[in-house]
Amino acid sequence: MKPIVSIIMGSTSDLPVMEKAAKFFDEMEVPFEINALSAHRTPEAVEQFAKNAQNRGIKVIIAAAGMAAHLPGVIASMTTLPVIGVPIKASLDGMDALLAIVQMPPGIPVATVGINGSLNAAILALQMIATGDEAISQKLAAYKEDLKKKITQANEELAEIKFKFKTN
């Protein structure tokens, strides 16, 4: 089974955040890979990864990084694959990473989700892939329908809570 999504982290300390993406791919039964590569400490490995990802069958790359957060942009500069950046809250409440990832120069786009937003990155990656994959499209539709059911159920449970001045 070959991976179609790659999760790249600047450090294994990012794993607690990126685990949400990995669990989502498992839930959706989508093959993925997960690696730690640093734009600053292992630049040659990042270059080799980025330049070979498409030939290995990768369709979308999710790149997570904190602080200076160069990893997503460096990867995007070396591939035509879509890159989704996940800013990691490491310092300055993650705002430094968010701004570093979202403010890419013209020609090097990185789709960027919210700080520590790996689940949204995973969903976005599958939405991109689903444009050409009906099975993944159906899995996403079922996932979103389940989200709707959870909110409906939560609202029904909320209606049962009693307060003296509550009107609904």
Side-chain angles (χ1 to χ4, degrees), residues 158 160-168:
L158 190 58
E160 298 301 316
I161 298 173
K162 305 295 181 197
F163 293 95
K164 185 176 179 181
F165 287 96
K166 183 177 170 211
T167 61
N168 65 336

Side-chain angles (χ1 to χ4, degrees), residues 9-14 36-46 66-67 71:
M9 303 173 289
S11 166
T12 56
S13 65
D14 300 335
L37 296 172
S38 170
H40 302 108
R41 295 179 292 262
T42 61
E44 295 88 2
V46 171
M67 301 189 322
L71 184 62

Side-chain angles (χ1 to χ4, degrees), residues 38 83 115 157 159:
S38 170
V83 176
I115 297 166
E157 291 168 4

Side-chain angles (χ1 to χ4, degrees), residues 80-138:
T80 58
L81 291 172
V83 176
I84 302 169
V86 178
I88 301 291
K89 183 178 178 178
S91 64
L92 302 176
D93 289 328
M95 289 300 295
D96 51 343
L98 173 65
L99 295 173
I101 296 171
V102 79
Q103 290 293 87
M104 293 303 300
I108 313 296
V110 174
T112 309
V113 295
I115 297 166
N116 288 356
S118 71
L119 178 57
N120 271 351
I123 294 167
L124 180 58
L126 289 192
Q127 288 179 175
M128 291 173 176
I129 294 168
T131 62
D133 187 318
E134 185 60 31
I136 289 177
S137 180
Q138 289 176 4

